[in-house]
Amino acid sequence: MQKVVTPASSYAHLVNGHDRMAGYVVRAADVSFATTPAQLFEVHGLGYPGSPFRPTDDHVDLLRFESSPQLQYRDVPGYIVPLWWLRHSRIPPRTELVRVYSDGSSRLLAWYGDVGTGWTSAPGIPGQPGLSSLSRCVGPVAKWHSAYLEADVLDDDTVVLALANPPLAETGFDQSPSGRWYRHVARTEVSELFELDLTARWNGLAVRVVDQWQDAQRYVVARISHLGDDMDRAERLHLQQVEAGVYEAVVYAAELTDLQTNQVVPLTWAPGPTTTPQRSYGAPYQHHAHY
């Protein structure tokens, strides 16, 4: 899959280690003919109101990634090139951040290993990306040794576990250059594997809760990302437009209504007999209530 990222998002990935994405995506194979910023401007529809892009830009940055089973898309009809809207998600393993120049050349800027290692700058790119904070509201979570940890599924047999701090009672964790602690374990060692899907309404707008923390006064605040079904209301509520179709805000958790928490379990993650991996761009899910 391929997604154009704004200059601000590209900076956040490359400098701050930001590991999230949301918005409109296409299959890379469908737009392989678009090799310049002007062509990418057209095929990705970058002329939306308030866009930071111009057809005359010297370069455009892209995320290229293999679709993962937990990513949830909504089909966007009416376009010659098949288009999907992706809800706020953690970037999947082996994602690349690529810069495409006006002469048709391109350059790898960084790659995202997984939740354990984060971003790594490509050779010749100065600096090492920082490390974003972990959030159990977005991305896979694994139950291992009776504890729930942020995780990524690397293949059918391997899961990587991640911790912000060194474990107190477990051995076998390594520290990545970014500072995060991680360990590869066999899929069979993980008793549960799912992604939390915490949805709510804020002033009538359907949102996904993507982060939660306490402010200085110890009030619980939440970062919310709209679910893409009512952009007019998102505009009226003055949410921050991150890019086309993506609106987010930080609000008090007490302002949220109709809270629902589910475990999203792609069929390829479910325990039981081995299943054939889903190759479509919207794998089936099992939704389980979680309390």
Side-chain angles (χ1 to χ4, degrees):
M1 305 297 284
Q2 178 170 296
K3 171 176 171 46
V4 171
V5 292
T6 66
S9 293
S10 181
Y11 180 91
H13 294 314
L14 194 57
V15 176
N16 301 326
H18 183 58
D19 62 356
R20 312 288 184 79
M21 62 180 175
Y24 295 108
V25 300
V26 299
R27 282 185 296 235
D30 291 339
V31 295
S32 60
F33 61 89
T35 59
T36 67
Q39 292 170 330
L40 291 167
F41 184 92
E42 293 297 326
V43 299
H44 280 272
L46 301 181
Y48 56 88
S51 171
F53 300 101
R54 299 291 181 270
T56 55
D57 285 340
D58 174 71
H59 65 265
V60 169
D61 292 349
L62 310 169
L63 290 177
R64 288 182 176 149
F65 59 97
E66 181 180 351
S67 189
S68 295
Q70 81 276 13
L71 297 180
Q72 296 188 46
Y73 302 92
R74 189 180 71 247
D75 181 39
V76 182
Y79 289 83
I80 296 175
V81 174
L83 182 69
W84 291 269
W85 189 86
L86 173 66
R87 69 193 303 179
H88 184 116
S89 304
R90 189 199 297 156
I91 290 173
R94 297 176 289 276
T95 293
E96 294 181 340
L97 178 62
V98 178
R99 177 161 293 175
V100 177
Y101 295 94
S102 55
D103 63 1
S105 64
S106 63
R107 182 184 188 184
L108 177 66
L109 299 180
W111 65 86
Y112 182 80
D114 52 54
V115 68
T117 57
W119 286 100
T120 300
S121 297
I125 302 298
Q128 167 64 29
L131 192 63
S132 61
S133 60
L134 291 170
S135 170
R136 290 188 184 172
C137 299
V138 177
V141 174
K143 186 178 182 181
W144 179 75
H145 290 190
S146 301
Y148 290 95
L149 297 88
E150 283 79 5
D152 263 330
V153 179
L154 300 184
D155 53 45
D156 292 341
D157 302 315
T158 310
V159 174
V160 60
L161 310 174
L163 290 168
N165 300 300
L168 298 177
E170 293 283 358
T171 60
F173 280 79
D174 296 315
Q175 189 174 25
S176 70
S178 63
R180 187 165 290 166
W181 294 83
Y182 70 96
R183 175 174 174 170
H184 290 186
V185 300
R187 173 66 179 88
T188 53
E189 294 183 40
V190 173
S191 57
E192 295 180 41
L193 187 61
F194 57 89
E195 178 167 4
L196 283 179
D197 186 29
L198 179 56
T199 60
R201 287 192 175 273
W202 182 71
N203 289 323
L205 182 71
V207 299
R208 182 180 189 186
V209 178
V210 297
D211 282 300
Q212 284 186 334
W213 63 91
Q214 287 186 333
D215 66 8
Q217 287 74 43
R218 303 189 67 81
Y219 289 106
V220 178
V221 294
R223 185 166 189 88
I224 57 174
S225 180
H226 103 298
L227 290 177
D229 58 351
D230 194 348
M231 296 181 192
D232 289 339
R233 182 184 291 269
E235 291 271 5
R236 293 196 301 271
L237 291 172
H238 302 293
L239 273 74
Q240 177 190 5
Q241 184 182 18
V242 179
E243 59 179 83
V246 182
Y247 295 85
E248 299 192 352
V250 175
V251 302
Y252 287 111
E255 299 173 3
L256 300 174
T257 60
D258 301 331
L259 282 162
Q260 296 186 34
T261 306
N262 291 292
Q263 289 182 356
V264 178
V265 184
L267 294 183
T268 53
W269 292 2
T274 302
T275 56
T276 301
Q278 297 289 334
R279 295 300 183 188
S280 64
Y281 295 98
Y285 294 88
Q286 295 177 341
H287 289 261
H288 302 289
H290 179 69
Y291 302 95

